[in-house]
Amino acid sequence: MSSSQIALLGAIAGFTIYLGLPIGRLRNPAPRLRAGLNAVAIGILIFLIWDVLSAAWEPTDAALSDHHWGTAISGGAVLAAGLALGLVGLVYWDRFIARRKSPALSEGPGAAAVSEVVQPMRSTAGSLALMIATGIGLHNFAEGLAIGNSAATGEISLAVLLIIGFGLHNATEGFGIVAPLAAEGERPSWGTLALLGLIGGGPTFAGTLVGQHLVNDTLSIAFLGLAAGSILYVVIELLAVARRAALKELTTWMILLGLLLGFATDAVVTAAGV
């Protein structure tokens, strides 16, 4: 299989994220549906945190087992730095955005179209959706690196299985991105959904391209750490939304459903021997 064919399959794996995004176009969902969508997203993202951290820790764990202390220390330090930047960095970034006044879009050709895409990002739910897309994008870049690395080392069958598995993952993650918008009853434009999908799914394609020419555990750990930290921050925010809904039983069941969906879509990747 040629490099261009692997890249094309990587792009397909990334852009399956668009399969879950249209849920964000629901018109005025009922309060229980909003709470349920929010809770399912929490479950999916909790699974992703576990999935990302286990992959990020694996090289360090292997180095510790082999008594390669320098590799273990450097890997652990990179993971800690990525986590800190992804989690604490978003706290300060969110505070900065909250204090900053949104500039008005200038009038002129195309301004209305740009406003239609950007405006939903300025709400609380829109900011959460953007953060989720960014965190998932970092995660997907690391997944793309895995696809490209497998192809670069001649393991084409593994690369194809990874593409299938990550494609299933991305279809579920697309739902997680728009859940905050659906939970708040905000209906994004198709342009906004296209932008969120590009942020979340596009890095799979970019990672596949990079991974075919660069095999580097440190780079992968860094992106996974950033992804885990940012996703954890979003989970904390979504839990606050769930508490305000005051539907504890429904929320608990839907979080469980989201977790199970995450494990179900991970089954194909596990079958590939990752």
Side-chain angles (χ1 to χ4, degrees):
M1 188 175 292
S2 67
S3 296
S4 59
Q5 288 173 319
I6 290 292
L8 176 60
L9 290 176
I12 293 171
F15 287 97
T16 56
I17 203 165
Y18 283 104
L19 296 178
L21 291 177
I23 292 175
R25 296 276 297 173
L26 288 174
R27 292 182 179 274
N28 300 321
R32 290 182 66 84
L33 178 57
R34 293 180 186 179
L37 291 172
N38 185 73
V40 171
I42 292 172
I44 292 170
L45 293 175
I46 289 173
F47 168 80
L48 278 177
I49 292 173
W50 169 81
D51 188 41
V52 169
L53 285 178
S54 61
W57 180 250
E58 187 177 352
T60 302
D61 192 53
L64 288 171
S65 298
D66 296 336
H67 298 164
H68 295 161
W69 309 120
T71 302
I73 291 171
S74 62
V78 169
L79 176 57
L83 272 170
L85 184 59
L87 178 59
V88 182
L90 277 181
V91 173
Y92 289 100
W93 174 254
D94 197 29
R95 182 179 296 178
F96 169 74
I97 292 298
R99 289 176 178 174
R100 192 173 161 210
K101 209 173 185 180
S102 298
L105 290 170
S106 60
E107 295 182 1
V114 172
S115 178
E116 185 182 10
V117 172
V118 175
Q119 192 61 37
M121 306 290 194
R122 294 176 178 167
S123 67
T124 301
S127 296
L128 272 176
L130 181 58
M131 288 179 187
I132 293 173
T134 302
I136 287 175
L138 291 169
H139 171 222
N140 284 343
F141 184 82
E143 289 184 343
L145 287 176
I147 293 171
N149 288 172
S150 299
T153 54
E155 300 178 16
I156 301 300
S157 60
L158 174 58
V160 172
L161 283 171
L162 287 174
I163 288 166
I164 295 170
F166 293 150
L168 290 172
H169 260 316
N170 279 344
T172 308
E173 290 165 357
F175 166 76
I177 291 173
V178 295
L181 294 168
E184 293 298 325
E186 297 184 17
R187 194 164 182 261
S189 67
W190 288 111
T192 299
L193 294 182
L195 178 60
L196 289 172
L198 184 62
I199 293 170
T204 307
F205 172 64
T208 302
L209 293 178
V210 173
Q212 291 188 74
H213 304 285
L214 176 64
V215 180
N216 190 300
D217 280 345
T218 301
L219 180 64
S220 180
I221 291 171
F223 275 96
L224 288 171
L226 280 168
S230 57
I231 293 171
L232 179 56
Y233 174 80
V234 170
V235 167
I236 294 170
E237 295 294 303
L238 292 180
L239 284 171
V241 173
R243 186 171 292 277
R244 288 198 301 270
L247 293 168
K248 190 173 183 179
E249 294 82 1
L250 175 65
T251 297
T252 303
W253 279 107
M254 292 299 102
I255 288 176
L256 176 62
L257 175 61
L259 276 168
L260 294 177
L261 283 173
F263 278 106
T265 57
D266 192 56
V268 175
V269 181
T270 303
V274 181

